Amino acid sequence: MTISVVPAAGLGKRLKSGTKDVPKALVTIAGKPMVGWVMEALEQTPIVDGIVLVVPSSHRSEFERCCQALALCKPVWLVEGGEDRQQSVWRGLQALPSGTEWVIVHDAARPLVTPALLIAVWEAAREIGSAAIAALPCPDTVKRSLDGVLIAETLDRQQIWLAQTPQVFAADLLLAAHEKALSDGFTATDDATLVERMGAPIRLVMGEPTNLKVTYPADLLLAEALLQGRQQKGSCNFEANSPSPC
Ligand code: CTP
Ligand code: MG
């Protein structure tokens, strides 16, 4: 069984979504809350059996209403998140139903994820037996600086990959990695970093350039344009993998 954990408990401070008290995942993009796009992509991905949605405790009821409006066929478990992303994923992992073999972690902040990418990463993780993540080769020349003023060195960009979600892990490996991080007091901004510390192999899967993370206001405009374009094309990305109605 494969369950997706969707961290959506951030408040989106860098997005500055106006004066409204709306957490980032509930900000509307192309007529739908950001998290709604993610949930629908997961619904339309046959390998996903259920979704653990991690939400801010301050806005639980709004997320409940959002899920009701989506009326998904797959089971959704709502869990309250923690202080940072890692804590939120950890809480999500505590809610995994027994029998979960594979976990797909996907941020609510990446509303453009497609079933094709979710399946590609899942297949790669299963093939290698441990984990895989979506990532993009770095298009820019990369400088390292110790102080943000002077360049210390130029890195070989052929060795640099920009991590995205989805990230897929064997459930027991991801749980062990989080437990170790917790006991070591180690924090990171993605789950692969925690699994790297376990020494387990993690495959890179070519991500999608459109699978952007909404962080700043300009990202919102870009995501809106891309999702509108996708809607106009009749959601062709999703149709090939659509399951039959439940
Ligand atoms: N996240 C979470 N719990 C937190 C913080 C973040 O579940 N305590 C989630 C966010 O909801 C998002 C993902 O982790 O889907 C990536 O985080 P980020 O893009 O940084 O979102 P925010 O933390 O909401 O944004 P900001 O850092 O600007 O406040
Ligand atoms: Mg954040």
Side-chain angles (χ1 to χ4, degrees):
M1 183 161 66
T2 297
I3 300 295
S4 183
V5 172
V6 177
L11 296 175
K13 292 187 199 114
R14 287 170 292 176
L15 191 63
K16 300 190 184 83
S17 55
T19 49
K20 293 171 292 173
D21 183 25
V22 180
K24 185 161 88 176
L26 290 180
V27 168
T28 300
I29 306 184
K32 206 175 286 181
M34 202 179 307
V35 70
W37 290 103
V38 170
M39 300 290 277
E40 286 191 349
L42 293 167
E43 170 84 353
Q44 290 162 13
T45 305
I47 50 136
V48 175
D49 297 301
I51 303 162
V52 174
L53 179 60
V54 190
V55 305
S57 53
S58 53
H59 293 78
R60 189 190 171 104
S61 56
E62 287 100 310
F63 278 85
E64 270 164 3
R65 280 198 294 278
C66 172
C67 288
Q68 276 159 15
L70 289 167
L72 305 182
C73 296
K74 293 179 183 177
V76 177
W77 297 274
L78 227 66
V79 172
E80 291 178 8
E83 299 261 295
D84 59 19
R85 184 188 178 284
Q86 187 170 317
Q87 276 186 33
S88 292
V89 174
W90 168 247
R91 292 197 184 173
L93 295 178
Q94 309 309 303
L96 290 175
S98 63
T100 304
E101 289 166 286
W102 295 94
V103 179
I104 301 178
V105 182
H106 184 71
D107 287 345
R110 291 187 190 268
L112 281 127
V113 69
T114 61
L117 184 59
L118 287 158
I119 291 168
V121 181
W122 179 80
E123 281 176 346
R126 286 165 59 97
E127 217 173 277
I128 199 169
S130 47
I133 72 164
L136 287 177
C138 180
D140 298 322
T141 303
V142 184
K143 308 292 183 189
R144 203 167 74 86
S145 172
L146 301 174
D147 56 6
V149 180
L150 293 172
I151 294 171
E153 63 172 326
T154 301
L155 303 179
D156 178 3
R157 78 166 173 214
Q158 295 209 320
Q159 296 184 349
I160 306 291
W161 287 75
L162 307 175
Q164 301 185 334
T165 62
Q167 302 192 345
V168 181
F169 307 93
D172 50 358
L173 173 64
L174 184 58
L175 270 162
H178 269 266
E179 271 160 19
K180 179 169 164 51
L182 201 61
S183 73
D184 294 349
F186 178 85
T187 54
T189 50
D190 79 348
D191 300 282
T193 308
L194 309 187
V195 172
E196 287 158 40
R197 299 177 78 238
M198 306 293 285
I202 306 172
R203 274 269 307 275
L204 291 168
V205 173
M206 189 62 74
E208 291 173 356
T210 50
N211 181 31
L212 58 91
K213 183 157 90 75
V214 176
T215 307
Y216 297 105
D219 303 324
L220 213 47
L221 296 175
L222 196 52
E224 173 105 19
L226 288 165
L227 284 166
Q228 273 169 358
R230 193 184 277 180
Q231 276 175 321
Q232 278 158 16
K233 275 195 217 151
S235 302
C236 59
N237 275 336
F238 286 177
E239 275 167 4
N241 295 305
S242 292
S244 50
C246 52

